[in-house]
Amino acid sequence: MLRLSFHKKVLYAFCGLTLLPLIALAVFASQSLDTVERLLRASAISALDRQAAETLELRAIMVADEVQTFLYRIENDLAALAHLPALPETYLWFSRSHLQPVWERAGTNHAPSERRSSIRLYQEVAFVGPDGMERFRVVDGDLSQELRDVSKPANTTYLTENYFNAARELPAGGIYVSHLTGWHVSKQAQLGNAATPEEAINGEHYQGVIRFAQPVFDAGGQLQGVIVLSLDHRHLMEFTQHITPTDERFVVFPSYQSGNYAFMFDNEGWIITHPKFWDIRGLDQDGQLVPPYREDSSQEAIETGKIPYNLGEADFVHPNYPAVYRAVLAGRSGVVDVTNVGGSRKIMAFAPIFYTSGPYAATGVFGGITIGAEVKQFHSMAETASSNIRLLYQAFLTGAWVLIGMTALLVVFVAYRLSHNITGPLSTLVAGTQAMARGKLGTQVAIASPVEVAELATAFNTMARQLHERRERLLKTLAVLRRSRKEIQQERDFKQTIVENVEVGILTLDSRQSVTSLNGIARTILDIAEEPTRGMHLKDVLQAFPEMYQAISKSMQAERWSEYVSLERDSRSLTFRLALHPLSSGRDGGHILTIEDLTERVNFRQQMARFERLASLGRLSAGIAHEVRNPLTGISLLLDELHDRMLANPGDQKLIQRALQEIERLEGLVNELLNFASLPDTRLAPGDLAVVLRDTLFLASKQFEKQHVQLHEEIPVELPLPRMDSDRLKQAILNLLTNALDAMPNGGELWISARRVADGCLLAVRDTGLGMPADRLELIFEPFYTTKGGGTGLGLSITHTIITSHGGRIEVQSREGEGTEFTVYLPDRGRN
């Protein structure tokens, strides 16, 4: 039980009787004011949030009205064009005179900028005859030389469009309007090396159109043709791309991560404008709609961004997305709260775009506009008002507590004066204790007061002196431990640096073949993700390389062991050197396993051996060709003379003529041997691979028609290479085309495509010919090897030499009875 002196009892009683009623009054007043403040803030927040929601909804309605006006404006353009003469120069003038301003990003990912310009409203303007054949077509402001039969959807730009057949069936004045049509842009295509859509300036942009078509009839009601206007999708993006609910109101490109952005969707629920281009509806390479993002979408589709967004299918993301879609179809606007795919919570206003032309007449809406505001941003006005109320309340409360505090100070001062003689020595001891707690263990106190307190001070001083002496001894010991720890850490870092930077994979194993550690090179060689592997069995770590584990498991009992292991992965031959060394670590022991990737060295040696073999064959071929050419020339002259003398013997003349033909064939073989033995040096210079491909296809075009081979080409307009020999590349490509034609004597199909890759160009030539068995593929680039009855077997060998001289590589895949595909990679930096 606590025993109090008389002075303390008087002091505590005085303080209690004075302060307790005052504190009780202050607490009651504070609670009452706090209740009033909460009610006032809640009322203000509710009113301001309601006002913000109405403003956001009104903005969505205004944007929807603008889109509606824009769509009817296009119909007016279509009607105006129908009254103009159907002449190429008229349509060319129409295309060039219809421009619309756009605000877009420019520059690069690292140096972004903004650009305002006027671009053509219509990507294409075309007049199609009643038979479906385009009479003329203006593309991007220029007359196109490529006229198509669009009555067949396969001939349209996006392979499955049916706008001509639909418009042809309409009555006079009828208008056909398509849904948004364009190639789907994947997540990787838009982002490239950027982390977010806002940073992806250099990525691929969505390119699509909405087709507006109207039939044109003469005075007698006879169909004259169909007018087609193809609205450039970028003008639809202008309605939503720049909207932000923040104080900025408009930006060149919104922030998807914040949730402060707008998007548009059509009457089928597909998103048609969005900062994430991979959310926009689009077609695959066969002209089919890419399936929407669903709960059961594959992980691969999600990671690659092949998941366009359909609000009707998005209830698993948030149930309000389908609700918004249904409300828009019913012609209603409103405000809901949602969470987007990126995890941002936001308030979303929506409004329908009323439109009744074409296929939209059934629902009466073109689609909908949504404007999203991040929750914190949405409540910002209300939070500001709440903060102001809170500040006033705090100011009042502070004033009240200041008054209470001043009163309390006066009471404490009086109490202090009354108890000073008792509490003074104790305060001195407390100060000494606090000084010791701060590290001043040598602190001493001097107190002149009653005997009891003086004895306490003496005991305190003795304790402080002993603690100071012990602290000094501990500090010396701690300094020694720190030096030892630093030396151990330096030695550990040195060894770790060596292990992580050596060009050999290193794994340590315990006696149970469990991996206890492995360096970064080992992770790279074994293609192990950055995840914990400690404690995993060696067999599990080498799961992708069972050949390695089989070789190692046979030699675990050996003192030291090494072996070369060759294996096949992804059509590549890999060579590794494995070595096992004992590890003496504790009583259990273990092993160190080293894995060295020798694939590049082995491939280099094989390539050098092939070069030496080709050089020897070249020298041998040149010698044989020179030695054979002169005798052949003499024999040819003699036989020619003999042929002239056998005019009286037609049978003998025919035999001599056959002999001369065989000699000519031998001379052709000799010339090919000389060409193979003396290929000219490669002259590398900047050039355009697309031009080389088109020139080569032109040379072979007559042969394609003659053999009934259908050509499919996917070659961009430009495909520049900084270092290339155009003549030699043309020879190599012509050899590939000739081989394909030889494999399809009765006709077939031939695909040739070219595209840019990360650091070069990729060319593919695929046919539907006879194909080759797998055991012959590794021999086709060898000189004099051929699978045809005639020929020298030098064409593909020369092609291989030309591609290699450019620093590139050529690969082949073939299936017997199905066809063959050659893939050629040409790097931007060829050999010097």
Side-chain angles (χ1 to χ4, degrees):
M1 182 178 178
L2 181 64
R3 300 181 63 183
L4 300 176
S5 66
F6 175 73
H7 294 286
K8 291 181 180 179
K9 290 180 181 178
V10 173
L11 176 63
Y12 293 157
F14 179 77
C15 291
L17 291 173
T18 307
L19 294 178
L20 287 177
L22 188 63
I23 293 173
L25 178 62
V27 170
F28 175 75
S30 175
Q31 290 178 344
S32 299
L33 288 172
D34 188 59
T35 302
V36 173
E37 184 263 347
R38 285 199 303 270
L39 292 174
L40 183 60
R41 283 198 302 132
S43 177
I45 288 173
S46 176
L48 291 172
D49 280 352
R50 186 167 55 253
Q51 180 182 357
E54 291 173 355
T55 302
L56 201 63
E57 181 180 357
L58 179 59
R59 192 173 184 185
I61 293 172
M62 292 174 64
V63 175
D65 290 343
E66 291 175 0
V67 175
Q68 179 190 34
T69 303
F70 179 71
L71 293 173
Y72 283 119
R73 171 192 160 189
I74 296 172
E75 288 191 14
N76 292 336
D77 285 349
L78 192 64
L81 187 59
H83 289 86
L84 295 176
L87 299 173
E89 54 270 20
T90 302
Y91 280 56
L92 187 61
W93 166 83
F94 182 89
S95 173
R96 293 177 177 177
S97 61
H98 283 71
L99 304 177
Q100 186 88 357
V102 294
W103 181 22
E104 57 188 354
R105 299 177 298 173
T108 65
N109 292 358
H110 302 294
S113 62
E114 298 180 12
R115 177 176 60 207
R116 293 179 185 267
S117 60
S118 292
I119 64 173
R120 291 176 180 84
L121 184 60
Y122 302 111
Q123 198 176 97
E124 294 183 13
V125 180
F127 184 81
V128 185
D131 57 351
M133 194 67 190
E134 293 174 333
R135 298 297 186 259
F136 43 85
R137 180 165 63 113
V138 181
V139 180
D140 292 330
D142 293 309
L143 283 172
S144 174
Q145 300 302 316
E146 181 185 357
L147 301 178
R148 309 163 299 180
D149 180 3
V150 294
S151 65
K152 300 176 181 178
N155 293 336
T156 59
T157 303
Y158 298 104
L159 305 180
T160 55
E161 297 178 275
N162 198 35
Y163 55 85
F164 170 77
N165 294 325
R168 182 170 57 183
E169 302 300 326
L170 295 175
I175 294 177
Y176 168 81
V177 185
S178 74
H179 287 91
L180 175 65
T181 307
W183 303 120
H184 183 258
V185 176
S186 67
K187 179 179 180 180
Q188 182 60 39
Q190 180 184 2
L191 295 183
N193 296 326
T196 64
E198 302 94 89
E199 301 170 2
I201 298 174
N202 299 130
E204 185 176 335
H205 292 259
Y206 185 92
Q207 296 182 357
V209 296
I210 294 180
R211 309 278 191 189
F212 290 77
Q214 182 177 12
V216 178
F217 298 90
D218 59 14
Q222 186 68 26
L223 179 66
Q224 297 296 302
V226 173
I227 301 172
V228 182
L229 295 182
S230 300
L231 173 65
D232 195 323
H233 171 258
R234 288 177 291 178
H235 296 294
L236 276 184
M237 289 287 287
E238 285 295 298
F239 287 100
T240 60
Q241 180 171 286
H242 309 306
I243 295 177
T244 178
T246 63
D247 294 337
E248 293 179 272
R249 292 186 62 80
F250 296 101
V251 294
V252 66
F253 197 86
S255 168
Y256 171 76
Q257 299 297 328
S258 69
N260 296 320
Y261 62 90
F263 66 84
M264 187 188 307
F265 60 92
D266 63 18
N267 67 336
E268 294 181 346
W270 292 99
I271 287 180
I272 58 176
T273 70
H274 198 279
K276 294 193 308 179
F277 299 156
W278 65 89
D279 278 358
I280 300 176
R281 71 179 287 167
L283 308 177
D284 60 19
Q285 61 183 0
D286 296 323
Q288 302 300 319
L289 267 177
V290 177
Y293 183 27
R294 297 190 180 95
E295 190 171 8
D296 59 352
S297 294
S298 68
Q299 189 63 29
E300 179 185 1
I302 295 173
E303 291 175 356
T304 57
K306 295 180 180 178
I307 46 171
Y309 211 76
N310 189 302
L311 268 63
E313 303 278 351
D315 55 334
F316 70 97
V317 178
H318 198 284
N320 276 340
Y321 281 120
V324 167
Y325 170 55
R326 291 191 295 271
V328 165
L329 288 184
R332 299 195 305 271
S333 61
V335 179
V336 296
D337 63 313
V338 296
T339 301
N340 67 10
V341 179
S344 297
R345 292 187 62 245
K346 62 179 184 177
I347 304 299
M348 190 171 76
F350 61 91
I353 304 169
F354 294 106
Y355 188 63
T356 57
S357 294
Y360 302 98
T363 58
V365 294
F366 177 79
I369 293 289
T370 73
I371 302 177
E374 191 262 335
V375 171
K376 184 177 179 181
Q377 178 70 31
F378 179 79
H379 294 306
S380 60
M381 187 184 302
E383 291 295 336
T384 301
S386 173
S387 298
N388 291 334
I389 295 173
R390 187 71 181 175
L391 287 174
L392 293 174
Y393 164 72
Q394 291 292 344
F396 177 81
L397 198 61
T398 300
W401 279 107
V402 167
L403 180 62
I404 294 171
M406 292 176 65
T407 305
L409 286 175
L410 181 61
V411 172
V412 170
F413 175 75
V414 174
Y416 174 79
R417 298 300 299 173
L418 291 175
S419 61
H420 178 267
N421 291 332
I422 297 175
T423 59
L426 294 178
S427 298
T428 303
L429 283 173
V430 169
T433 304
Q434 291 174 343
M436 290 179 63
R438 291 193 296 268
K440 297 180 180 180
L441 300 182
T443 301
Q444 300 288 302
V445 297
I447 298 178
S449 88
V451 177
E452 293 84 358
V453 178
E455 290 178 352
L456 178 61
T458 301
F460 175 83
N461 289 335
T462 302
M463 178 189 70
R465 184 174 58 257
Q466 292 176 351
L467 286 175
H468 179 69
E469 293 172 354
R470 293 178 181 176
R471 178 177 179 274
E472 291 299 323
R473 291 196 296 270
L474 286 174
L475 287 175
K476 293 179 181 178
T477 304
L478 182 60
V480 174
L481 289 175
R482 284 176 176 171
R483 286 195 300 272
S484 300
R485 180 176 177 273
K486 184 176 181 180
E487 292 172 357
I488 293 172
Q489 189 172 7
Q490 288 176 343
E491 182 178 359
R492 184 197 64 188
D493 293 343
F494 174 73
K495 293 179 179 178
Q496 184 70 20
T497 300
I498 293 176
V499 170
E500 287 298 330
N501 289 280
V502 70
E503 291 295 328
V504 176
I506 300 176
L507 299 87
T508 58
L509 313 174
D510 60 17
S511 58
R512 296 183 298 276
Q513 296 188 26
S514 296
V515 176
T516 57
S517 67
L518 73 167
N519 64 354
I521 300 300
R523 289 182 182 275
T524 301
I525 293 175
L526 300 178
D527 194 19
I528 299 175
E530 289 294 336
E531 59 184 26
T533 54
R534 182 181 293 274
M536 290 180 62
H537 195 271
L538 179 61
K539 185 176 183 180
D540 297 327
V541 174
L542 298 179
Q543 184 176 8
F545 299 90
E547 300 92 340
M548 288 189 185
Y549 180 73
Q550 185 178 6
I552 295 169
S553 60
K554 295 178 181 178
S555 308
M556 288 299 295
Q557 304 303 323
E559 182 69 17
R560 295 180 183 274
W561 167 85
S562 67
E563 184 175 313
Y564 292 88
V565 175
S566 298
L567 46 89
E568 295 287 332
R569 289 294 184 276
D570 298 327
S571 302
R572 292 182 60 219
S573 296
L574 306 178
T575 303
F576 298 95
R577 180 181 180 273
L578 309 179
L580 205 60
H581 308 276
L583 174 66
S584 299
S585 176
R587 293 177 298 173
D588 294 336
H591 291 84
I592 295 177
L593 173 63
T594 62
I595 304 175
E596 186 176 2
D597 190 350
L598 302 179
T599 303
E600 290 188 3
R601 297 186 206 173
V602 171
N603 291 342
F604 179 74
R605 290 174 183 170
Q606 292 175 350
Q607 189 174 13
M608 290 304 297
R610 184 177 185 277
F611 285 161
E612 291 176 4
R613 186 166 65 253
L614 288 176
S616 298
L617 283 173
R619 290 191 295 270
L620 177 61
S621 300
I624 293 174
H626 280 295
E627 292 299 327
V628 171
R629 172 181 278 180
N630 292 334
L632 281 178
T633 302
I635 294 172
S636 178
L637 292 173
L638 292 174
L639 286 174
D640 191 48
E641 178 66 23
L642 187 59
H643 175 269
D644 294 339
R645 295 182 181 183
M646 292 291 181
L647 296 176
N649 299 311
D652 294 340
Q653 266 192 327
K654 188 174 182 180
L655 290 175
I656 294 172
Q657 189 174 3
R658 290 291 300 275
L660 285 171
Q661 291 174 352
E662 291 301 313
I663 289 174
E664 287 179 1
R665 192 174 71 83
L666 285 174
E667 285 181 346
L669 176 59
V670 168
N671 289 332
E672 286 196 33
L673 288 172
L674 286 174
N675 289 335
F676 172 72
S678 58
L679 283 173
D681 293 335
T682 304
R683 295 188 296 275
L684 300 179
D688 191 338
L689 182 59
V691 173
V692 173
L693 288 172
R694 292 192 184 94
D695 290 347
T696 309
L697 289 174
F698 176 76
L699 294 176
S701 59
K702 293 298 182 181
Q703 192 62 28
F704 291 153
E705 296 176 4
K706 182 178 179 181
Q707 289 189 213
H708 304 290
V709 173
Q710 184 177 357
L711 177 64
H712 306 274
E713 57 177 280
E714 296 180 10
I715 303 172
V717 177
E718 293 182 353
L719 203 59
L721 271 177
R723 296 173 63 82
M724 60 179 282
D725 187 331
S726 300
D727 293 335
R728 303 220 27 213
L729 280 180
K730 189 179 298 184
Q731 178 185 358
I733 296 167
L734 193 57
N735 285 344
L736 295 179
L737 296 179
T738 303
N739 262 32
L741 288 170
D742 290 342
M744 297 184 290
N746 298 320
E749 293 185 81
L750 178 66
W751 287 264
I752 179 165
S753 62
R755 59 186 176 89
R756 292 288 302 176
V757 292
D759 54 355
C761 294
L762 200 64
L763 168 67
V765 178
R766 178 165 61 92
D767 62 57
T768 58
L770 302 175
M772 293 177 285
D775 58 349
R776 296 185 181 180
L777 292 181
E778 61 183 14
L779 302 173
I780 63 173
F781 295 116
E782 293 296 327
F784 308 112
Y785 179 80
T786 178
T787 59
K788 298 177 287 188
T792 61
L794 294 175
L796 287 179
S797 180
I798 292 173
T799 298
H800 185 278
T801 302
I802 292 173
I803 299 304
T804 305
S805 68
H806 282 74
R809 64 177 182 271
I810 180 170
E811 299 173 352
V812 60
Q813 294 180 341
S814 182
R815 288 191 177 181
E816 199 168 5
E818 295 184 9
T820 303
E821 180 176 8
F822 286 91
T823 304
V824 177
Y825 167 73
L826 295 171
D828 285 336
R829 299 183 62 186
R831 292 185 177 179
N832 294 326

